Amino acid sequence: MSTDTRGGLLDGVSLTNTRLRTIALYVGLYGTAALFLIPYWYMFATSFMTRELVYSETPYLIPWEVTTYWYQYLIDNSLIGMWTVNTLILAGITTLFVIVVDAMIAYSLTRLEWPGRRVIFGVIVASFMVPGIINLVPVYIIASELGLVNSVWGVVLPSAANPLGVFMLVQFFKDIPEELEEAARLDGFSRLRVFSHIVLPLMRSPLAALGLFIFIWTWNSFVWPLLIFQRETMYTLPIGLVTLQDNLGVTEPGVIMTSAVIASVPLLLVFLVMQKQLVQAVEMQGTTK
């Protein structure tokens, strides 16, 4: 009596060409993702390494001795805590302000009849062709004349009417059926109430996606905040980390890696929280006719 031991766990598994292609696709995607993650993991791991491991000739992806020395070093020798709070406040205010202003502009361009709105929209689209650096000097002069230097509003106000945000929201507003607004107005809703109670809730995902873009852009801004904020206590993280690396981090890789972790982790957390809304915004735009 003979026993056939062939097969085993693979009994019933058919590796068709389609399945093989799917497996190869996933292997390629996960492999590429791992390659992108290696530098970030090394940055994170280095921030917890001892000085001996940091300066070792052999790179370590997993430190066998963990320390929080570099974080304590930054806290004791810099204003990084204050810079982080400044950046959070600035990014939060700018994001909220841009969402409100851009939503009102986009709504007026798509739903209200007023002379010159097509021209205004054309100017907004054409502004994409103008490099932002060209406006740097005239906008700074205006901000200085208005007394906005060393003020949060000096950074927030020039970003309020964001052309990208207006253009993006206009496309979404066009996809909202006008019949919903007409029905609301028949029920006695004012234009402002229609905007706040009907339109904005339907635009939750696009507004969240725009907010994510604006938050990240503001968090990483360097040149304009550097011009407006002229006191060290008002610096944002990008400005503070540059001055920090000039003063402390030239010969200290641990300082550079730790400061990079502090600057990038909040953005990662925000993205993880908002990624569902971002995906829904993309799906919403892709499925509307």
Side-chain angles (χ1 to χ4, degrees), residues 130-148:
V130 181
I133 195 69
I134 293 178
N135 298 325
L136 201 63
V137 174
V139 174
Y140 177 78
I141 293 175
I142 294 173
S144 179
E145 293 292 333
L146 294 175
L148 298 178

Side-chain angles (χ1 to χ4, degrees), residues 5 14 50 68 94 101 108 118-119 163 175 180 242-243 288:
T5 59
S14 176
T50 61
T68 58
T94 303
V101 173
S108 68
R118 295 184 181 275
V119 176
D175 295 327
L180 292 176
V242 169
T243 60
T288 51

Side-chain angles (χ1 to χ4, degrees), residues 155-166:
V155 179
V156 174
L157 291 179
S159 307
N162 188 282
L164 176 61
V166 173

Side-chain angles (χ1 to χ4, degrees), residues 17 196 244:
N17 290 336
S196 60
L244 179 66

